[in-house]
Amino acid sequence: AKFRVDQLKYSYKTKKLPAELADKFVKLDGDADTKEYIDRCLNRPRVYRHVMGHLARLLRMFFSRTTANGILNKGGMFVMSKAQASKLLGRDESDHSHGALLDVGAGDGKVTENLLPLYKQVVVTETSFSMVHRLRQSGKYAAVVGTGDVSVVAKAARKQGVALSGPNRNQFDGLVLFNVLDRCDAPLTLLRHLKRMLVPNTGRLLMAVVLPFRPFVESGTKRTPPKEKLGLNPDADFETSLKDLYEKVLKPEGFIVEQVSRLPYLCEGEFDCPMFTLDDAVLTLSVRDHTVPFSEQSAQPTTSGDEADDEPPPLSETSET
């Protein structure tokens, strides 16, 4: 039987969640953009998938998975459609009045493209040299910053003509962190910097996290555990993982949940598996007025080594039958 959109998971058991999360749940469904992505993956010729798979395996002997995919221009992902992003951010797709957006770990930029209509300027960061090349080659972004250290991004963006907010012009109206928290060396350090980089009250951080939380960091061809631990159970179910993420990490760090949803995280497959699927918790977060001044001094890098992995491991696979 051919894979169908209605096989994907978009809901969870709200009774297992604290009221702060259950009351903010937004039910989304697979839309036309989701179906188009799935059809594109399933309809790729089997020969193409095998050729690209063998080339990717060869490159992974020397580079990270992300860099190999960037070189081959493969491994495209899908997190959410334009309509879904608009709903989660509370933005009208036709309203371009909002300021600057920063996407941390943007990969090849295909996922970020769905957010372009919602902001005046979009800044992207990446550490993989091949993905930085893809981002710059697209010519769609106001600034492309090749770094894993978010503390230097505001200054680099201003130098490229991006208009930022805040008294020191170091804050963004929107931040995006899609499937990066479980692939960086210092997730708490990253969240604390992003908190200071977000315009208080009206700014929004749109974050997607694969659950259950099973972090690792790619440094070249190696995978290592992150230096900072979040203390989340890698074997917990989706609802327990989301509850722990909120109660142990986001709430103590001062983030306020505006909306929460569940979306499938889709990735182009290879060989006889045309598409990989994982489960994302997607949270729209805000912060109140800051009491700690932001510093642009160099911080601990958010990734180890010279590359970050922005592709999900094949924990769950969808294949043709």
Side-chain angles (χ1 to χ4, degrees):
K2 197 168 184 178
F3 184 81
R4 304 188 315 274
V5 174
D6 58 16
Q7 291 177 277
L8 299 173
K9 296 178 181 179
Y10 287 89
S11 62
Y12 49 80
K13 301 172 183 176
T14 54
K15 290 183 179 179
K16 297 182 68 174
L17 299 175
E20 300 101 305
L21 293 179
D23 293 345
K24 300 297 177 64
F25 174 66
V26 176
K27 177 68 164 61
L28 298 173
D29 295 292
D31 55 16
D33 287 354
T34 309
K35 185 177 185 303
E36 180 184 348
Y37 177 86
I38 292 173
D39 288 343
R40 188 163 63 248
C41 287
L42 299 185
N43 291 331
R44 286 193 186 279
R46 187 171 181 272
V47 172
Y48 170 86
R49 293 200 308 268
H50 276 259
V51 170
M52 295 299 280
H54 284 296
L55 289 174
R57 278 186 177 176
L58 176 63
L59 287 173
R60 288 171 198 157
M61 297 173 63
F62 308 98
F63 304 105
S64 73
R65 178 180 293 268
T66 300
T67 294
N69 285 343
I71 292 171
L72 296 172
N73 198 21
K74 70 176 291 292
M77 303 175 193
F78 185 91
V79 178
M80 65 183 65
S81 66
K82 295 182 182 69
Q84 290 167 341
S86 179
K87 185 171 184 178
L88 288 169
L89 287 168
R91 303 283 195 251
D92 187 334
E93 288 186 59
S94 62
D95 182 3
H96 299 268
S97 64
H98 303 286
L101 173 76
L102 169 65
D103 186 352
V104 178
D108 62 4
K110 293 294 192 300
V111 174
T112 319
E113 287 179 9
N114 286 335
L115 301 166
L116 286 172
L118 305 178
Y119 290 86
K120 289 180 180 178
Q121 295 177 297
V122 176
V123 178
V124 290
T125 75
E126 250 302 332
T127 55
S128 164
F129 72 85
S130 63
M131 291 301 185
V132 170
H133 171 72
R134 295 290 176 193
L135 291 166
R136 288 177 175 157
Q137 187 180 48
S138 74
K140 296 179 178 180
Y141 303 102
V144 177
V145 186
T147 185
D149 184 356
V150 296
S151 69
V152 305
V153 172
K155 184 176 181 179
R158 289 198 306 269
K159 285 184 177 179
Q160 297 184 54
V162 178
L164 301 183
S165 302
N168 297 316
R169 295 190 300 125
N170 52 30
Q171 293 175 338
F172 291 82
D173 296 278
L175 299 173
V176 169
L177 192 69
F178 284 166
N179 304 302
V180 173
L181 202 65
D182 60 346
R183 294 293 177 264
C184 65
D185 211 24
L188 279 177
T189 298
L190 173 60
L191 286 172
R192 288 165 184 169
H193 276 277
L194 293 181
K195 180 182 176 182
R196 294 183 177 94
M197 295 171 70
L198 184 63
V199 171
N201 303 317
T202 60
R204 294 292 182 267
L205 164 59
L206 189 58
M207 182 172 71
V209 185
V210 172
L211 297 179
F213 194 77
R214 297 170 181 172
F216 66 82
V217 180
E218 277 208 11
S219 177
T221 60
K222 296 180 180 179
R223 292 183 175 185
T224 60
K227 292 179 181 178
E228 291 183 358
K229 314 294 183 184
L230 297 186
L232 304 179
N233 183 353
D235 298 315
D237 60 24
F238 186 90
E239 292 82 2
T240 301
S241 298
L242 178 57
K243 174 179 177 291
D244 289 347
L245 175 65
Y246 172 67
E247 293 183 343
K248 294 182 179 181
V249 181
L250 299 177
K251 188 175 181 179
E253 291 300 323
F255 288 100
I256 299 165
V257 176
E258 300 292 342
Q259 298 193 85
V260 60
S261 190
R262 179 178 185 167
L263 289 172
Y265 179 22
L266 310 177
C267 178
E268 174 192 339
E270 55 191 33
F271 296 109
D272 290 325
C273 181
M275 189 175 72
F276 300 121
T277 68
L278 294 170
D279 291 316
D280 261 345
V282 182
L283 301 103
T284 306
L285 306 172
S286 66
V287 297
R288 295 297 177 251
D289 292 318
H290 305 297
T291 56
V292 181
F294 177 80
S295 171
E296 288 187 350
Q297 295 178 352
S298 180
Q300 183 177 357
T302 61
T303 59
S304 68
D306 62 348
E307 296 171 344
D309 181 30
D310 197 36
E311 178 175 354
L315 303 177
S316 171
E317 298 183 349
T318 301
S319 60
E320 293 174 322
T321 57

